[in-house]
């Protein structure tokens, strides 16, 4: 009987051992299958693909850049295929020995022998996962592009004007296609053009005061979406006018009177009143003029004004545009600058009318100008009013010709109550007297644009 019980216990023990072994094997197989499933199925997405530039139009030499990203398994390979007129051509292939989360590659079409026109671009990127029996997940991006090798054609619609240094004129032209940038290049300076409802591009171009006549060589440039650039020379005859010279004595009384104003413009520093004044008249002046160029970007793409500009009523001309000023202190030269507007004096705190219709783009204190208002009249043309005792408008206000916008004063570097009035073309200060003359406006601006539209 004992023997039988022993054998029975042995049989039960053997059955349990085999059951435990089966369990272990099942766990191993399950884990192995789970591991394989994880390897094959944990990453089911291919790399992301970003192409630059995003433009529809490209040139053969233009680099097309691809940013490939796959944080899970890394980028393994990329290929680029062209499809056009029933033909297929692989123009770029790249495999990476070690997959990385981010890869950047570039290619171009200069060896593709494509002709101008539409074609399809297919980008195939693969990651380093085990999906697809080890081939990895793939992403396919298709883009329809246009190969464009021809620059825009420019047709000038205005005649060749004579332009005085310190003045400006207007040009009009047409283009053979839509562009991303166009205007007049004048040395290092660029004057943007604006397309009008009649299809013409209008461009106001200054002959900067500090430019020599022999370097006044304006060119129209037009850049299309593919980066092709067309150029056309503008014929213009530069004229050198005579400008006056003047000497200004800086007195102790002036320095004392303006001490608080100078502290507001250039605070701090261990400077004498004279040193502060000289730094303001030179260094701060440069900064303020840079601000005028910055504000030029706020212009409207169409003309907001009409007719001649208004002058401050019942005012006397105290200083001219282009006056070359030599500043003296106790008989010694301390600075030299050029006066870039006209000074008009009337009664104290005289009301100042807007010279023409427009929109206020600046109404605040600015360095040498003191209280300053700038009104945009469109196409890069702006009027400037400075040294005011009071500003009666704010940025964004739409004003009409004759509307009172401020009152004269002595803020900034002004020594006496007056209005400093200026005209800007794309940030360049030009001769304001021109814009008070209806004949000049007709000859240099409006008739030229009207004739261009009538062609």
């Amino acid at each position: 009987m004992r023997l039988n019980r022993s054998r029975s216990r042995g049989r039960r023990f053997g059955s349990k051992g085999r059951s435990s072994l089966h369990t272990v094997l099942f766990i191993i197989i399950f884990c192995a299958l789970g591991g394989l499933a994880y390897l094959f199925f944990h990453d089911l997405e291919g790399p992301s693909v970003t192409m630059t530039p995003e433009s529809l139009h490209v040139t053969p030499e233009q680099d097309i850049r691809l940013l490939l990203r796959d944080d899970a398994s890394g980028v393994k390979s990329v290929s680029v295929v062209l499809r056009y007129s029933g033909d297929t051509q692989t123009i770029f292939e790249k495999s990476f020995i070690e997959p990385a989360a981010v890869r950047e590659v570039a290619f171009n079409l200069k060896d593709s022998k494509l002709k101008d026109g539409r074609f399809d671009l297919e980008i195939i990127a693969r990651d380093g996962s085990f999906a697809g029996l080890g081939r990895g997940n793939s992403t396919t991006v298709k883009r329809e592009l246009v190969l464009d090798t021809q620059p825009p054609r420019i047709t000038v619609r205005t005649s060749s004007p004579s332009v005085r240094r310190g003045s400006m004129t207007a040009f009009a032209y047409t283009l053979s296609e839509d562009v991303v940038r166009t205007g007049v290049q004048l040395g290092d300076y660029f004057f943007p053009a604006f397309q009008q409802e009649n299809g013409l591009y209008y461009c106001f171009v200054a002959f900067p005061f500090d430019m020599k006549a022999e370097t006044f060589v304006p060119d129209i440039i037009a850049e299309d979406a593919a980066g092709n650039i067309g150029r056309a020379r503008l014929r213009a005859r530069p004229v050198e006018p005579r400008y006056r010279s003047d000497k200004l004595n800086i007195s102790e009384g002036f320095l004392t009177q303006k001490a608080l104003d100078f502290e507001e413009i250039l605070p701090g520093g261990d400077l004498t009143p004279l040193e502060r004044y000289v730094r303001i008249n030179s260094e701060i002046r440069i900064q303020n003029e840079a601000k005028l160029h910055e504000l030029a970007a706020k212009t409207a793409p169409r003309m907001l004004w009409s007719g001649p500009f208004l002058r401050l009523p019942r005012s006397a001309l105290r200083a001219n545009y282009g006056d070359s000023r030599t500043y003296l202190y106790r008989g010694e030269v301390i600075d030299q600058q050029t006066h870039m507007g006209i000074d008009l004096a009337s009664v104290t705190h005289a009301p100042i009318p807007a010279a023409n219709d427009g929109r206020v783009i600046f109404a605040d204190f600015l360095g040498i100008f003191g209280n300053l208002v700038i009104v945009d009249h469109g196409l890069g043309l702006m009027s400037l009013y400075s040294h005011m005792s009071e500003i009666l408008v704010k940025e964004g206000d739409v004003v009409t010709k004759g509307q009172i916008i401020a009152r004269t004063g002595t803020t900034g570097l002004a020594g006496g109550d007056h209005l400093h009035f200026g005209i800007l073309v794309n940030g360049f200060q030009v001769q304001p007297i021109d814009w008070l003359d209806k004949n000049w406006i007709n000859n240099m601006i409006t008739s030229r644009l009207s004739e261009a539209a009538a062609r």
Side-chain angles (χ1 to χ4, degrees):
M1 292 295 292
R2 292 178 182 173
L3 180 61
N4 290 339
R5 284 197 299 270
S6 176
R7 286 176 179 175
S8 176
R9 284 197 299 270
R11 285 196 297 270
R12 287 197 298 270
F13 177 80
S15 175
K16 288 181 180 180
R18 286 193 296 273
S19 176
S20 297
L21 180 60
H22 291 160
T23 300
V24 171
L25 289 174
F26 175 79
I27 292 172
I28 293 172
I29 293 171
F30 179 81
C31 291
L33 291 174
L36 289 173
Y38 177 80
L39 288 175
F40 282 96
F41 299 110
H42 86 287
D43 179 11
L44 299 177
E45 294 184 359
S48 65
V49 179
T50 304
M51 188 178 94
T52 55
E54 297 181 355
S55 170
L56 172 69
H57 298 259
V58 295
T59 62
E61 292 78 18
Q62 182 179 5
D63 274 348
I64 299 175
R65 300 185 179 277
L66 302 178
L67 175 64
L68 313 170
R69 188 181 191 97
D70 192 296
D71 293 326
S73 303
V75 180
K76 181 180 180 181
S77 67
V78 62
S79 62
V80 180
V81 177
L82 290 183
R83 303 187 191 281
Y84 59 98
S85 301
D87 294 330
T88 300
Q89 178 185 163
T90 299
I91 61 166
F92 181 81
E93 286 185 297
K94 180 73 173 179
S95 295
F96 305 103
I97 298 175
E98 292 292 335
V102 178
R103 293 288 187 182
E104 293 185 64
V105 297
F107 62 94
N108 57 49
L109 307 174
K110 63 183 179 182
D111 296 326
S112 66
K113 299 181 180 179
L114 276 175
K115 295 182 179 180
D116 278 21
R118 294 184 179 273
F119 66 94
D120 292 320
L121 189 72
E122 187 174 280
I123 304 162
I124 303 137
R126 293 186 178 277
D127 66 16
S129 71
F130 286 90
L133 299 178
R135 296 178 61 200
N137 299 300
S138 68
T139 299
T140 300
V141 174
K142 296 181 179 180
R143 291 280 302 274
E144 185 182 77
L145 301 176
V146 176
L147 186 68
D148 182 2
T149 62
Q150 300 302 312
R153 295 187 302 277
I154 302 167
T155 303
V156 181
R157 301 290 185 180
T158 42
S159 58
S160 303
S162 296
V163 188
R164 290 179 284 110
R165 181 169 62 89
S167 188
M168 55 86 65
T169 190
F171 294 98
Y173 58 93
T174 56
L175 299 175
S176 62
E177 60 177 297
D178 293 335
V179 296
V180 295
R181 187 175 75 105
T182 187
V184 171
Q185 191 75 49
L186 182 62
D188 294 332
Y189 307 135
F190 181 75
F191 297 85
F194 303 88
Q195 189 174 27
Q196 307 301 299
E197 291 182 359
N198 59 13
L200 290 171
Y201 285 86
Y202 288 171
C203 187
F204 286 178
V205 180
F207 182 174
F209 186 87
D210 60 356
M211 175 174 278
K212 295 181 179 179
E214 57 267 27
T215 59
F216 183 72
V217 184
D219 288 326
I220 297 174
I221 65 167
E223 182 178 357
D224 64 20
N228 300 300
I229 298 178
R231 297 181 180 273
R233 175 61 47 87
L234 285 171
R235 304 300 174 185
R237 296 177 295 277
V239 176
E240 280 282 3
R242 288 181 175 272
Y243 290 105
R244 299 189 320 175
S245 296
D246 195 10
K247 292 182 179 180
L248 295 181
N249 289 299
I250 304 302
S251 66
E252 293 289 353
F254 171 75
L255 294 176
T256 301
Q257 173 194 347
K258 299 293 291 184
L260 293 179
D261 294 317
F262 295 165
E263 281 279 359
E264 182 179 7
I265 297 171
L266 184 62
D270 185 17
L271 301 172
T272 67
L274 179 62
E275 290 170 338
R276 195 180 303 277
Y277 170 75
V278 171
R279 285 190 58 183
I280 292 170
N281 203 36
S282 53
E283 296 173 20
I284 302 300
R285 182 183 297 274
I286 293 172
Q287 296 174 19
N288 296 161
E289 290 176 350
K291 179 66 175 181
L292 301 183
H293 285 275
E294 177 187 323
L295 291 169
K298 294 188 175 184
T299 194
R302 60 185 181 87
M303 289 169 52
L304 306 178
W305 59 276
S306 62
F309 283 49
L310 294 181
R311 172 175 169 157
L312 180 70
R314 298 175 296 280
S315 61
L317 182 65
R318 296 303 188 192
N320 290 291
Y321 173 89
D323 286 354
S324 177
R325 290 178 166 179
T326 299
Y327 297 85
L328 304 173
Y329 177 73
R330 295 179 179 176
E332 298 292 330
V333 175
I334 57 171
D335 200 7
Q336 289 182 318
Q337 300 293 337
T338 301
H339 189 245
M340 301 304 288
I342 58 174
D343 287 347
L344 300 170
S346 180
V347 298
T348 301
H349 296 175
I352 301 170
N356 220 312
D357 300 342
R359 182 176 61 88
V360 177
I361 63 162
F362 188 88
D364 205 344
F365 188 90
L366 183 66
I368 65 169
F369 297 107
N371 289 328
L372 171 69
V373 170
I374 298 178
V375 177
D376 173 48
H377 304 290
L379 304 183
L381 178 68
M382 299 176 180
S383 54
L384 176 153
Y385 315 78
S386 71
H387 303 319
M388 281 94 70
S389 59
E390 184 180 9
I391 295 175
L392 303 176
V393 291
K394 64 182 182 303
E395 183 178 339
D397 284 353
V398 174
V399 297
T400 57
K401 183 189 296 188
Q403 177 181 336
I404 302 305
I405 60 174
R407 296 185 181 277
T408 60
T410 60
T411 55
L413 287 189
D417 188 291
H418 73 280
L419 166 67
H420 175 93
F421 176 68
I423 292 289
L424 307 172
V425 175
N426 201 47
F428 291 91
Q429 300 182 72
V430 296
Q431 176 61 271
I433 296 295
D434 291 342
W435 290 89
L436 308 179
D437 182 353
K438 66 178 181 180
N439 292 324
W440 181 90
I441 292 174
N442 180 64
N443 293 335
M444 298 300 292
I445 309 295
T446 53
S447 66
R448 290 173 58 76
L449 299 181
S450 297
E451 290 169 8
R455 289 189 177 186

